[in-house]
């Protein structure tokens, strides 16, 4: 880790009602981060429905998380879209940052992988790095394969003096009107060279999936791109009726919310990797959260 100490890796996070994994996300990154910059709040879609700040335990986590090294910087607000929310945390990034790790509030990293990543950045000096994702589906036993597994989730960006944050999809910095490009490493390439994957809980929390689909259908994705009634006809039956899983996956060529023609096959696979220590430690807490949310949506959403 001698080389690692010379490199300043700053983390950027956007969050609204992300308490399911937020504490574990921050804890997994804190020892390795130069700074953790967080923009909390709602984009216009949620603000128009009267939701301007988190209503779960997100704010409590942000205000009470131990920060002995003064690494955590938080801004609250409402934003036109996620690009603007990312720019809000980007404005908090220290000037001496070498690389930025863009992290969703459901992406938890192992210490081993972050150490490998920092060493890789120190020695290879890439312009950007993507991750191969272990995207958990309906719990902690299976991940989404195919399209989701092969997609390169661009998360690491080299930070140049005077650069600006241009877009969130996928994360891109620009300098003097031009996107910063050069040595761009895909998730598959990083995995082949280092074995690093990203632990991604984006399809675990029933509440998180329900709200994500509402947002995608109404604000982000063009009409017809998402599976109709995805939450009630795909996600919930898959979780609650294991005997129907093959039927559901065969019908939709997998389980991701996009229609198959927009994303290709993405059938589930057993997870065979390592869970981060913070996930194993909080396993029972997370399972209880999952069960309570599932019970609510079984009773209230049809």
């Amino acid at each position: 880790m001698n080389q690692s100490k010379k490199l300043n890796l700053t983390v950027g996070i956007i969050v609204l009602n992300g308490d399911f994994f937020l504490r574990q996300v921050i804890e997994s990154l804190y020892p390795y981060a130069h700074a953790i910059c967080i923009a909390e709040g709602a984009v216009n879609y949620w603000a128009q429905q009267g939701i301007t700040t988190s209503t779960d335990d997100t704010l409590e986590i942000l205000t009470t998380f131990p920060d002995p090294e003064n690494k955590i910087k938080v801004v609250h607000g409402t934003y036109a879209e996620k690009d603007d929310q990312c720019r809000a945390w980007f404005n908090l990034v220290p000037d001496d940052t070498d690389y930025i790790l863009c992290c969703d509030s459901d992406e938890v990293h192992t210490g081993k992988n972050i150490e490998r990543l920092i060493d890789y950045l120190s020695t290879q000096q890439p312009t950007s790095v993507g991750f191969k994702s272990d995207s958990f589906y309906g719990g902690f036993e299976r991940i989404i394969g195919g399209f989701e597994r092969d997609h390169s989730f661009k998360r690491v960006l080299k930070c140049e003096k005077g650069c600006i944050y241009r877009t969130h999809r996928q994360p891109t910095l620009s300098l003097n009107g031009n996107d910063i490009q050069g040595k761009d490493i895909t998730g598959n390439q990083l995995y082949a060279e280092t074995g690093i994957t990203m632990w991604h809980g984006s399809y675990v929390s029933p509440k998180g999936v329900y709200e994500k689909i509402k947002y995608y259908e109404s604000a982000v994705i063009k009409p017809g791109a998402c599976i109709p009634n995805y939450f009630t006809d795909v996600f919930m039956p898959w979780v609650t009726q294991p005997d129907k899983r093959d039927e559901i996956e065969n019908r939709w060529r997998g389980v991701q919310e996009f229609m198959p023609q927009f994303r290709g096959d993405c059938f589930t696979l057993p997870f065979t990797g390592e869970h981060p220590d913070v996930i194993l430690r909080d396993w029972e807490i997370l399972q209880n959260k999952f069960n309570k949310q599932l019970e609510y949506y079984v009773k209230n959403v049809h």
Side-chain angles (χ1 to χ4, degrees):
M1 289 294 290
N2 288 335
Q3 287 178 317
S4 303
K5 293 177 182 178
K6 300 176 185 177
L7 185 145
N8 291 334
L9 179 68
T10 290
V11 178
I13 301 173
I14 60 174
V15 63
L16 174 72
N17 289 334
D19 70 349
F20 200 97
F21 291 116
L22 181 60
R23 189 181 300 278
Q24 291 80 12
V25 170
I26 298 174
E27 188 172 347
S28 72
L29 293 169
Y30 191 92
Y32 309 97
H34 179 51
I36 299 176
C37 304
I38 303 170
E40 185 280 331
V43 297
N44 277 347
Y45 170 75
W46 295 111
Q48 289 168 1
Q49 300 179 55
I51 301 170
T52 58
T53 191
S54 297
T55 56
D56 61 4
D57 290 335
T58 292
L59 298 179
E60 189 271 337
I61 292 169
L62 294 179
T63 55
T64 63
F65 191 91
D67 185 16
E69 299 178 51
N70 295 315
K71 293 182 177 183
I72 300 175
K73 308 171 189 294
V74 182
V75 61
H76 303 274
T78 55
Y79 315 93
E81 246 300 336
K82 289 190 177 182
D83 289 352
D84 304 280
Q85 190 167 5
C86 289
R87 292 180 191 121
W89 67 249
F90 186 77
N91 289 336
L92 305 175
V93 171
D95 291 338
D96 58 347
T97 293
D98 298 304
Y99 281 91
I100 291 172
L101 171 60
C102 305
C103 186
D104 284 351
S105 60
D106 52 20
E107 296 170 359
V108 185
H109 294 270
T110 67
K112 183 189 300 183
N113 279 347
I114 293 297
E115 289 176 3
R116 288 172 177 169
L117 175 66
I118 293 174
D119 285 343
Y120 186 84
L121 298 175
S122 299
T123 57
Q124 300 301 315
Q125 292 291 304
T127 306
S128 71
V129 177
F131 289 139
K132 193 177 184 73
S133 178
D134 294 319
S135 297
F136 289 86
Y137 193 83
F140 301 98
E141 297 179 355
R142 298 187 72 81
I143 60 174
I144 306 177
F147 167 83
E148 180 87 6
R149 182 76 170 146
D150 290 334
H151 179 68
S152 182
F153 289 80
K154 191 162 108 175
R155 289 293 185 267
V156 183
L157 306 172
K158 189 172 185 180
C159 195
E160 303 282 358
K161 185 177 180 180
C163 66
I164 64 170
Y165 194 104
R166 186 179 69 79
T167 183
H168 169 69
R169 297 184 180 92
Q170 294 216 58
T172 303
L173 302 181
S174 65
L175 182 64
N176 300 324
N178 298 308
D179 290 348
I180 298 175
Q181 297 177 322
K183 189 177 181 181
D184 300 306
I185 306 300
T186 68
N188 282 333
Q189 183 177 348
L190 182 72
Y191 178 71
E193 295 182 23
T194 67
I196 293 173
T197 61
M198 178 176 70
W199 194 101
H200 198 180
S202 59
Y203 295 89
V204 173
S205 159
K207 179 176 181 286
V209 174
Y210 177 77
E211 293 182 348
K212 176 169 72 171
I213 298 307
K214 283 180 63 179
Y215 169 65
Y216 275 11
E217 289 178 339
S218 302
V220 179
I221 308 301
K222 63 183 179 181
C226 289
I227 296 173
N229 304 312
Y230 172 83
F231 185 80
T232 55
D233 293 356
V234 178
F235 180 80
M236 287 296 288
W238 191 97
V239 174
T240 60
Q241 302 176 60
D243 58 318
K244 297 285 185 67
R245 289 178 179 177
D246 287 344
E247 177 185 337
I248 293 168
E249 295 196 32
N250 288 332
R251 178 181 179 187
W252 298 108
R253 289 168 48 197
V255 293
Q256 206 208 42
E257 69 272 11
F258 292 108
M259 294 287 286
Q261 60 266 32
F262 289 97
R263 43 77 168 161
D265 293 352
C266 54
F267 293 87
T268 64
L269 303 167
F271 176 62
T272 58
E274 296 181 11
H275 289 290
D277 289 343
V278 291
I279 297 296
L280 293 175
R281 182 199 65 198
D282 295 341
W283 192 267
E284 186 174 347
I285 294 171
L286 295 170
Q287 288 284 2
N288 287 338
K289 279 187 183 180
F290 175 84
N291 291 334
K292 287 180 180 178
Q293 289 188 6
L294 187 64
E295 181 181 1
Y296 172 85
Y297 284 101
V298 167
K299 291 180 178 178
N300 295 283
V301 178
H302 307 282

